[in-house]
Amino acid sequence: MQQNKRTLYILYLLVAIIIVGTGGYYLLLDIGLMDAFYMTSITISTVGFQEVTPLNAPAQLFTIILIFFSLGTLGYTGSQLISFFFGGTLQKVWREQKMKDQLNELSDHIIVCGAGETGQHIIQSLETEEVKFVVIEFEEDKLEALQDYDNIIAFQGDATQDEVLKKSWNRSCKWLDCCTQ
């Protein structure tokens, strides 16, 4: 969820820079909107093609400010992309997709609600008996410990919410409520 908010923030910021840049050139240089958008685009991208019209002093200052803001934003965007691909986010997305695929293939499985002390004992017993199960855990640290194992299907959620339970229940299941731990 945090990554989605950051992505939206970046998109809003880029759109704002384009709108402000286009509006600024439109007002400062008394040119058409398409020319102002073009000026914004070549400035943000640092391509540096020829200007549509010679820049006056206020327009030059505006261009300098626009360059610094856009470079900062593009730098932040680049760092977020690197974080996405190399910081575990991509791995998390793949893990979630794999878990969804595994869950869709399950039938007659047990849903373990909570991975506290009691839940851990139940999980170990189910693994020992080779029983198919899904774990719903609210706390992130407990969930991360479970996700280190490839054979455990576990996801974060509040097992008291119907939506969360529906995610884990695709066919016939048995319930083991360990949330009281």
Side-chain angles (χ1 to χ4, degrees):
M1 187 68 92
Q2 180 96 0
Q3 184 67 30
N4 292 341
K5 286 182 181 179
R6 273 191 237 142
T7 303
L8 278 176
Y9 174 73
I10 290 170
L11 288 175
Y12 290 148
L13 195 55
L14 287 172
V15 168
I17 287 173
I18 291 169
I19 290 170
V20 168
T22 302
Y25 284 124
Y26 178 77
L27 295 172
L28 290 170
L29 298 176
D30 195 31
I31 57 177
L33 280 176
M34 188 60 197
D35 286 337
F37 178 68
Y38 171 77
M39 288 291 293
T40 302
S41 299
I42 64 171
T43 302
I44 288 174
S45 65
T46 67
V47 171
F49 286 144
Q50 184 177 355
E51 288 85 12
V52 174
T53 185
L55 299 179
N56 55 28
Q60 289 175 338
L61 181 61
F62 179 77
T63 301
I64 292 168
I65 293 169
L66 186 61
I67 289 170
F68 284 121
F69 273 108
S70 62
L71 284 178
T73 302
L74 292 175
Y76 181 73
T77 302
S79 71
Q80 289 303 306
L81 287 173
I82 289 170
S83 172
F84 177 78
F85 287 110
F86 300 110
T89 306
L90 185 60
Q91 182 181 14
K92 184 178 177 183
V93 169
W94 281 334
R95 182 184 296 146
E96 286 175 6
Q97 186 58 46
K98 180 181 173 187
M99 181 189 71
K100 286 178 187 177
D101 292 343
Q102 288 174 330
L103 186 56
N104 287 334
E105 294 173 7
L106 280 182
S107 64
D108 298 323
H109 60 282
I110 294 175
I111 299 172
V112 180
C113 301
E117 190 174 326
T118 304
Q120 288 293 329
H121 291 296
I122 291 171
I123 290 167
Q124 289 172 359
S125 296
L126 293 172
E127 280 188 313
T128 302
E129 297 296 321
E130 297 181 4
V131 175
K132 296 180 283 185
F133 65 95
V134 175
V135 181
I136 302 171
E137 175 53 54
F138 185 74
E139 297 179 26
E140 253 184 77
D141 57 333
K142 291 178 184 174
L143 181 67
E144 286 178 15
L146 290 174
Q147 289 179 341
D148 289 340
Y149 303 98
D150 285 337
N151 58 336
I152 295 179
I153 301 172
F155 61 92
Q156 187 173 15
D158 182 355
T160 63
Q161 302 296 315
D162 288 343
E163 276 179 29
V164 174
L165 293 173
K166 285 177 186 176
K167 270 186 180 178
S168 63
W169 184 7
N170 59 356
R171 295 184 185 102
S172 58
C173 303
K174 299 175 185 171
W175 298 91
L176 288 179
D177 189 353
C178 307
C179 291
T180 56
Q181 193 47 257

